[in-house]
Amino acid sequence: MLLRLRNAIFFMCLSVGFSGAATADGPLQILTMGDSMMASHSLSKRAIPNVIGKAVNARVVDRSVSGARIIYNLPITGSMGLNIAKQFRPGRWDWIVVNGGGNDLWLGCGCRSCDRKMNRMITKTGARGEIPNMVRKLRSTGAQVIYVGYLRSPGTGSPIEQCRDEGNELESRISKLAASDKGVHFVSLANLVPNGDRSYHALDMIHPSLKGSRAIGQRIGQVIKK
């Protein structure tokens, strides 16, 4: 009986140690939420959530939806996922990975006169707005939260080149939000794309390529492993 118990403990420890991410109750449970950056390549199972799952040996449930926004008031389509906050589903999540805000700025105000939209999403201090409200609700589940920034234009004809300043300001505010809670982590992608390198973007020069999704997922996985 004692030998069986010792063997059981040994194999349990071996299993946890091998995965690098498993808990005593099994693999990590991760929920991903967001827009098309997160959802790109989901049909081929090579999207950012798929990469995260492989990187940390976790069970990942992806709720991201292309075109989703932080501020979205239509009730039916919002409940179907076009409102990022409403993508949440209850569960025993260890980590929740989320992105969003790009569609609100690029599509919602065309990168012009975006101050009002920006402040509705998150104020300069990072303390108020729709993004802090969402993150606090996610944190109230006990999960660690990772907020992911956006790919930057490599400076070679991207449609989002003109939105660089607004994107930097949005992410500066999100980083302040993360600094106020040790359970919130901001993952910046600002330095991911070398200048002039188009290989991290899809042909539209907005969404990540397979290489881009892989690099983003691996960077997020590094945060989870710490």
Side-chain angles (χ1 to χ4, degrees), residues 96-108:
I96 300 175
V97 181
V98 60
N99 87 301
N103 288 329
D104 296 83
L105 295 178
W106 188 52
L107 299 176

Side-chain angles (χ1 to χ4, degrees), residues 119-177:
N119 285 326
R120 285 185 63 191
M121 287 197 290
I122 183 167
T123 57
K124 281 186 174 293
T125 63
R128 300 190 306 277
E130 295 297 327
I131 290 176
N133 290 344
M134 175 180 67
V135 169
R136 291 187 189 106
K137 289 179 181 178
L138 299 179
R139 280 287 290 136
S140 70
T141 67
Q144 298 272 308
V145 174
I146 294 177
Y147 207 105
V148 187
Y150 284 96
L151 286 175
R152 296 302 197 273
S153 164
T156 56
S158 170
I160 57 174
E161 181 67 27
Q162 64 179 348
C163 297
R164 181 183 297 270
D165 291 342
E166 288 79 6
N168 289 342
E169 177 62 25
L170 173 66
E171 294 187 6
S172 173
R173 298 182 184 194
I174 295 172
S175 66
K176 292 177 183 177
L177 169 63

Side-chain angles (χ1 to χ4, degrees), residues 31 35 39 53 56 60 70 77 100 106 108 142 175 177 186 192 195 216-217 226:
L31 175 68
D35 57 28
V56 300
V60 179
I70 294 296
T77 49
W106 188 52
S175 66
L177 169 63
F186 175 60
L192 187 65
N195 187 53
I216 296 168
K226 288 182 180 179

